[in-house]
């Protein structure tokens, strides 16, 4: 039988680590059942943390569900305070793109052969201009 | 009501006391018709305004009603209307009466903090009150009070939801450049509470709170003044015996959970959310400290008020309309559902419902029923402004002489609001100042300096 390659074994170990991390996370954040005796009318007004000891930090299933919800509808727009992740990313990338274009466009506008040459191939510039003394 | 009679009906007298809807010659006839479900309401506000104007014009032209009726019988209603329109611009007059002038700027940005104090400002968007008055308003959620103040000062927002002392502080130059600001309407009264961490549930006596770390939303807030007043009345010096920090409301519950705070006097729904999450309990509601205290206000710069008067009037009217809707307890559940989504308050609906309806869990195992836990009353009493300024002076936020009455009058625009309150069907009070009682001590707005002097605990001068 051919021995399993190193990369194969590494992949298995990685997956096992991921899996045990998710299990630990889930066990740490799930509810512990009823925490204290509560009048049912009162319990209806209280949240899951108080009634079932569920951690305030969401577990992997909650995070997964929310992530899926966001990915399913990336461009939803409910108003100025609640827009989909696609719209927000688009704005962010646009800002970066504008900054990048400004950084490139401004020096290009100087139109000097030397400066462009320096930007493109510093070694070239040096080779052509510095060695001559 | 003869104002709403049809002035082009020759068979009706404009001056007779007809029925309550204005379409019958007597109340008996109205009731008969009503029983047969034929008494229809006037088609629209516009039609009603048109009739009002036309009625006034016809009455002016024909002081003797018989003359008007003879005129109409000879000409017929439509010819009479045409003849009248030639000499008097009925359509224009109707528009002026209905809107009070063209709106200068339709697209507005109003900032808000996601708390139930701003309910009228926030709910006016999803429930259509802004649209009803001809405005296209975007309500923009803001991170905290200092940010909302700065964004309004640099005109990113046209108007904003602010704490009721903030327009006074900005006008007096405390904490920012002195720029004249106004508070034409108060958003809510009551609606706050002192919430303590659940580990302090046996420490209900304020005297055992020495060394506690409290939070308030902002230095110039009713919360700060109420908390300090409450502590001082129980013998604690708020500057020496406890720590009071300014924490933006959205961060209060997390800080309580992380034990950075022992308690806070904060706006709802932060109190109810702390209870819902099991991290805190409600120690005392602010209405038990001062019943009817103002909390948040709708605020705009003086420049906005004088420079864009029609826009300001429409905006204020929309907010007062929303406030009138919110005062009625039967609407509170609907409002809770409208403002709970992530675009507005971003809280579970049950938390907001508990705040607005007043049936709530108090964190200690009991369900309490306090229907006016939060209430909405737009009238900006000038005596509120004077009380706020006395407390600002008491704690050293403003120094020197203050012309209390003049600043109160300039900032708290009671007359504007009284006029618009009438238009939406609320009854404004006759006076602009009143005395009230805070924790058993009466405040007389005519004697502010004596009031400040009467306190034992205040900032060392």
């Amino acid at each position: 039988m051919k021995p399993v390659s190193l990369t194969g074994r590494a992949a298995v170990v990685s997956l096992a680590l991921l899996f045990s991390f998710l299990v630990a996370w889930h066990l740490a954040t799930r509810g512990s059942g009823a925490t204290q005796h509560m009048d049912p009318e009162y319990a209806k007004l209280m949240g899951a943390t108080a009634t079932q000891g569920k951690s305030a930090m969401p577990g992997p299933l909650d995070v997964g569900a929310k992530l899926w919800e966001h990915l399913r509808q990336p461009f939803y727009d409910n108003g100025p305070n609640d827009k989909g992740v696609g719209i927000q990313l688009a704005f962010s990338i646009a800002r970066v793109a504008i900054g990048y274009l400004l950084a490139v466009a401004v020096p290009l506008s100087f139109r000097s052969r030397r400066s462009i040459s320096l930007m493109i191939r510093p070694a070239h510039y040096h080779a052509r201009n510095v060695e001559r003394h | 009501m003869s104002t709403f009679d049809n002035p082009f009906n020759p068979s009706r007298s404009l001056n007779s006391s007809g029925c309550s809807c204005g379409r019958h010659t007597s109340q008996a006839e109205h009731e008969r018709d009503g029983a047969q479900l034929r008494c229809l309401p006037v088609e629209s506000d516009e039609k009603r305004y048109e009739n009002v104007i036309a009625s006034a014009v016809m009455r002016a032209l024909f002081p003797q009603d018989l003359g008007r009726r003879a005129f109409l019988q000879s000409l017929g209603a439509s010819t009479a209307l045409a003849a009248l329109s030639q000499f008097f611009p009925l359509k224009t007059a109707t528009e002026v009466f209905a809107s009070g002038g063209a709106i200068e700027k339709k697209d507005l940005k109003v900032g808000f903090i996601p708390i139930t104090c701003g309910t009228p400002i926030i709910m006016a968007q999803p429930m259509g009150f802004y649209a009803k008055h001809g405005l296209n308003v975007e309500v923009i959620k803001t991170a905290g009070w200092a940010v909302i103040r700065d964004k309004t000062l640099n005109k990113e927002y046209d108007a904003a939801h602010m704490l009721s002392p903030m327009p006074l502080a900005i006008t007096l130059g405390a904490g920012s450049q002195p720029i004249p600001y106004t508070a034409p309407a108060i958003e809510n009264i009551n609606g706050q509470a002192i919430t303590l961490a659940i580990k302090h549930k046996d420490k209900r006596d304020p005297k055992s709170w020495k060394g506690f770390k409290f939070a308030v939303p902002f230095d110039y807030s009713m919360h700060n003044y109420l908390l300090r007043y409450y502590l001082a009345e129980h013998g604690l010096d708020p500057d020496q015996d406890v720590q009071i920090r300014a924490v933006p409301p959205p961060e209060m519950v997390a800080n309580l959970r992380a034990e950075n705070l022992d308690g806070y006097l904060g706006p709802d729904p932060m109190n109810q959310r702390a209870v819902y999450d099991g991290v805190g309990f409600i120690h005392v509601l602010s209405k038990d400290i001062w019943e009817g205290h103002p909390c948040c206000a709708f605020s705009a710069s003086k420049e906005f008020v004088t420079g864009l008067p029609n826009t300001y009037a429409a905006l204020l009217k929309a907010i007062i309309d929303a406030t009138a809707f919110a005062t009625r307890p039967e609407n509170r559940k609907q409002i809770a559902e409208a403002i709970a989504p992530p675009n507005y308050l971003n809280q579970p609906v049950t938390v907001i419902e508990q705040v607005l309806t007043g049936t709530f869990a108090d964190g200690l195992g009991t369900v309490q029923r306090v229907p006016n836990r939060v209430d909405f009353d737009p009238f900006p009493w000038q005596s509120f402004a004077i009380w706020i300024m006395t407390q600002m002076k008491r704690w050293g936020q403003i120094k020197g002489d203050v012309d209390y009455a003049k600043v109160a009058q300039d900032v708290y625009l009671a007359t504007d609001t009284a006029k618009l309150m009438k238009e939406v069907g609320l009854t404004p009070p006759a006076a602009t100042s009143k005395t009230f009682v805070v924790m058993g001590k009466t405040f007389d707005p005519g004697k502010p300096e004596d009031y400040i002097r009467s306190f034992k605990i205040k900032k060392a001068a």
Side-chain angles (χ1 to χ4, degrees):
Chain A
M1 182 182 93
K2 195 166 139 228
V4 183
S5 70
L6 185 61
T7 40
R9 279 182 280 148
V12 168
V13 170
S14 294
L15 283 173
L17 276 173
L18 178 64
F19 183 69
S20 45
F21 167 70
L22 288 173
V23 166
W25 180 6
H26 178 68
L27 290 174
T29 54
R30 65 159 184 205
S32 57
T35 43
Q36 33 166 300
H37 175 70
M38 262 189 220
D39 174 35
E41 193 196 350
Y42 186 80
K44 249 191 292 176
L45 297 173
M46 297 289 275
T49 316
T51 49
Q52 270 133 33
K54 189 168 185 304
S55 167
M57 176 154 146
L61 293 171
D62 298 317
V63 172
K66 201 68 176 163
L67 189 64
W68 178 241
E69 207 184 291
H70 275 290
L71 289 176
R72 223 164 35 95
Q73 285 180 314
F75 296 103
Y76 76 83
D77 185 355
N78 288 342
N81 310 309
D82 189 20
K83 292 196 203 285
V85 69
I87 299 183
Q88 304 207 28
L89 266 178
F91 271 97
S92 183
I93 293 174
R95 279 193 290 265
V96 172
I98 292 174
Y100 177 78
L101 285 172
L102 282 174
V104 169
V106 170
L108 272 177
S109 70
F110 296 158
R111 273 177 223 190
S112 132
R113 187 163 168 263
R114 274 208 177 154
S115 64
I116 292 178
S117 174
L118 180 64
M119 275 193 303
I120 296 173
R121 293 263 290 275
H124 183 191
Y125 176 88
H126 278 283
R128 295 202 60 182
N129 298 306
V130 174
E131 295 294 342
R132 289 205 188 142
H133 55 268
Chain B
M1 301 209 218
S2 47
T3 321
F4 297 112
D5 288 350
N6 181 358
F8 297 106
N9 182 350
S11 60
R12 284 237 31 222
S13 158
L14 267 189
N15 301 325
S16 74
S17 47
C19 76
S20 46
C21 83
R23 290 180 177 230
H24 305 90
T25 46
S26 70
Q27 186 65 22
E29 210 188 279
H30 166 96
E31 265 149 38
R32 243 178 294 134
D33 246 359
Q36 298 164 28
L37 299 174
R38 272 190 295 148
C39 187
L40 302 161
V42 181
E43 305 89 86
S44 67
D45 275 349
E46 242 188 68
K47 198 87 188 84
R48 190 183 327 171
Y49 294 148
E50 257 177 52
N51 279 349
V52 170
I53 296 291
S55 180
V57 173
M58 289 301 263
R59 254 188 285 226
L61 279 180
F62 301 105
Q64 300 291 339
D65 207 44
L66 285 170
R68 174 191 71 91
R69 295 157 88 174
F71 174 71
L72 285 171
Q73 264 156 352
S74 59
L75 279 187
S78 42
T79 322
L81 176 56
L84 195 55
S85 313
Q86 284 214 307
F87 301 107
F88 187 80
L90 281 175
K91 265 270 175 261
T92 319
T94 312
E95 272 166 33
V96 173
F97 177 73
S99 66
I103 294 177
E104 300 95 349
K105 185 178 176 193
K106 263 200 167 50
D107 301 309
L108 299 170
K109 284 194 163 64
V110 174
F112 75 93
I113 304 278
I115 52 180
T116 48
C117 302
T119 297
I121 295 181
I122 303 168
M123 72 188 248
Q125 222 280 3
M127 300 182 101
F129 287 97
Y130 292 128
K132 179 169 148 198
H133 292 268
L135 294 168
N136 174 22
V137 173
E138 265 192 332
V139 286
I140 311 210
K141 203 189 296 198
T142 315
W145 293 113
V147 183
I148 224 179
R149 176 199 55 197
D150 294 338
K151 284 193 166 181
T152 323
L153 283 175
N154 73 2
K155 305 211 179 87
E156 264 180 66
Y157 297 150
D158 297 293
H161 166 212
M162 284 199 193
L163 295 159
S164 35
M166 278 167 75
L168 291 163
I170 298 174
T171 307
L172 293 169
S176 68
Q177 289 297 313
I179 298 186
Y181 259 68
T182 64
I186 299 290
E187 289 309 295
N188 69 320
I189 56 175
N190 307 331
Q192 331 299 314
I194 298 186
T195 300
L196 295 174
I198 205 88
K199 68 181 183 197
H200 295 307
K201 64 174 184 268
D202 297 316
K203 295 215 190 113
R204 298 299 295 271
D205 184 1
K207 296 212 205 315
S208 59
W209 292 355
K210 262 198 171 57
F212 270 28
K213 292 178 282 203
F214 285 105
V216 292
F218 196 53
D219 289 327
Y220 305 101
S221 64
M222 283 308 296
H223 311 78
N224 193 15
Y225 305 137
L226 283 174
L227 180 64
R228 286 167 175 260
Y229 197 99
Y230 185 81
L231 291 170
E233 287 300 300
H234 286 277
L236 291 170
D237 185 333
D239 291 310
Q240 309 287 344
D241 298 325
V242 300
Q243 282 184 45
I244 299 184
R245 310 175 173 170
V247 175
E251 297 170 23
M252 283 179 161
V253 181
N255 273 291
L256 195 65
R257 187 202 297 275
E259 297 188 14
N260 294 338
L261 300 171
D262 292 297
Y264 51 81
L265 200 161
D268 273 311
M270 307 313 157
N271 304 302
Q272 200 55 49
R273 186 63 195 261
V275 170
Y276 179 86
D277 282 345
V279 295
F281 69 94
I282 295 179
H283 166 74
V284 66
L285 292 175
S286 64
K287 71 179 276 291
D288 297 326
I289 302 178
W290 172 4
E291 164 71 62
H293 74 87
C295 176
C296 288
F298 163 67
S299 173
S301 62
K302 199 69 168 214
E303 199 187 318
F304 181 79
V305 168
T306 47
L308 305 172
N310 299 323
T311 315
Y312 156 71
L315 188 59
L316 186 56
K317 202 161 165 189
I319 290 174
I320 294 180
D321 213 350
T323 314
F325 189 82
T327 36
R328 290 194 275 282
E330 61 270 16
N331 297 327
R332 299 274 175 102
K333 232 174 135 146
Q334 182 192 4
I335 296 174
E337 277 163 23
I339 60 176
N343 191 35
Y344 303 111
L345 257 57
N346 198 15
Q347 298 282 350
V349 179
T350 175
V351 170
I352 312 228
E353 224 176 87
Q354 288 180 51
V355 173
L356 291 179
T357 56
T359 303
F360 62 97
D362 67 351
L364 295 169
T366 344
V367 176
Q368 293 203 24
R369 291 181 205 324
V370 183
N372 60 340
R373 172 177 175 178
V374 63
D375 210 350
F376 302 98
D377 179 1
F379 193 73
W381 289 99
Q382 284 165 357
S383 38
F384 287 164
I386 301 183
W387 188 88
I388 291 170
M389 284 188 276
T390 60
Q391 299 302 300
M392 284 169 88
K393 194 137 184 239
R394 179 181 175 189
W395 304 111
Q397 289 178 339
I398 53 178
K399 297 179 177 45
D401 287 317
V402 179
D403 186 350
Y404 296 96
K406 178 168 185 305
V407 178
Q409 219 172 337
D410 285 341
V411 179
Y412 275 45
L413 306 178
T415 33
D416 275 0
T417 312
K419 187 171 62 132
L420 293 175
M421 274 171 84
K422 278 194 220 128
E423 283 183 32
V424 296
L426 294 170
T427 24
T432 55
S433 242
K434 63 172 177 176
T435 58
F436 44 80
V437 177
V438 185
M439 277 189 90
K441 189 164 167 167
T442 315
F443 170 66
D444 176 6
K447 303 196 184 63
E449 288 291 335
D450 292 342
Y451 189 67
I452 302 177
R453 267 191 289 270
S454 71
F455 290 110
K456 261 193 296 141
I457 299 181
K458 46 183 184 282
K459 185 105 178 172

